[in-house]
Amino acid sequence: MLEYILIFFSAAVPWFEIAFVIPVGILSGLNPILVIFVAFIGNMTTIIALIIGYDKFKGWLGKRSKKKESKRQAKAHTLWNRYGLPGMVLLGPILIGSHIAAFIGMTLGATKRSTFVWSSFSIGAWSLAIGILTTFGFDFFTN
């Protein structure tokens, strides 16, 4: 039971994410279905907290930020215009992390609902894909 609690909390921490936690859990001999489920719930817990707390952070940031857009912000806007929220959060768990992708999406104007829906879909799909690939890949090399 302690192992699954560790999976939950590890998946909730940005940068550990599901891409690291699921393979470690499965390769440790834990039940792949439970690992996938617990990691998904752990990662979504902090995504939901980020979505709920975003307005307060945005207000705080608005008081501190300057009006001029930086080069980094301009680049983020270009990516946003090209791929939108779906592209950002679908690639997020693998490239930049699901938390960062959701945060950037909301910063660039995504609604809470669309961020939740796309993040849920993305994290769920990646959790299944990583879990299945790890399980079958591990079985392939051990047989």
Side-chain angles (χ1 to χ4, degrees):
M1 181 64 173
L2 177 62
E3 295 90 357
Y4 294 104
I5 293 170
L6 290 173
I7 294 288
F8 175 86
F9 284 113
S10 296
V13 174
W15 295 287
F16 276 114
E17 303 278 346
I18 55 175
F20 173 74
V21 173
I22 291 174
V24 168
I26 291 172
L27 294 175
S28 297
L30 299 175
N31 180 318
I33 294 170
L34 286 175
V35 168
I36 293 167
F37 179 73
V38 170
F40 171 80
I41 297 299
N43 199 237
M44 282 305 300
T45 300
T46 51
I47 293 291
I48 291 169
L50 182 135
I51 291 169
I52 291 170
Y54 177 75
D55 288 333
K56 289 186 181 204
F57 178 77
K58 185 178 175 183
W60 174 80
L61 186 63
K63 293 176 185 176
R64 298 191 70 221
S65 67
K66 300 174 184 174
K67 299 288 182 190
K68 189 177 177 186
E69 184 175 77
S70 70
K71 288 182 183 181
R72 189 183 315 175
Q73 289 170 326
K75 197 178 283 190
H77 278 184
T78 302
L79 290 171
W80 176 259
N81 290 334
R82 184 173 295 156
Y83 301 110
L85 180 67
M88 189 172 300
V89 296
L90 285 172
L91 295 173
I94 299 302
L95 298 179
I96 60 173
S98 56
H99 300 88
I100 295 169
F103 180 78
I104 291 172
M106 292 184 71
T107 301
L108 296 176
T111 64
K112 289 181 177 187
R113 181 177 183 192
S114 62
T115 302
F116 173 76
V117 169
W118 281 106
S119 293
S120 298
F121 176 75
S122 172
I123 294 168
W126 278 112
S127 294
L128 283 173
I130 292 166
I132 289 168
L133 289 172
T134 302
T135 301
F136 289 122
F138 185 66
D139 286 346
F140 177 77
F141 287 113
T142 57
N143 288 331

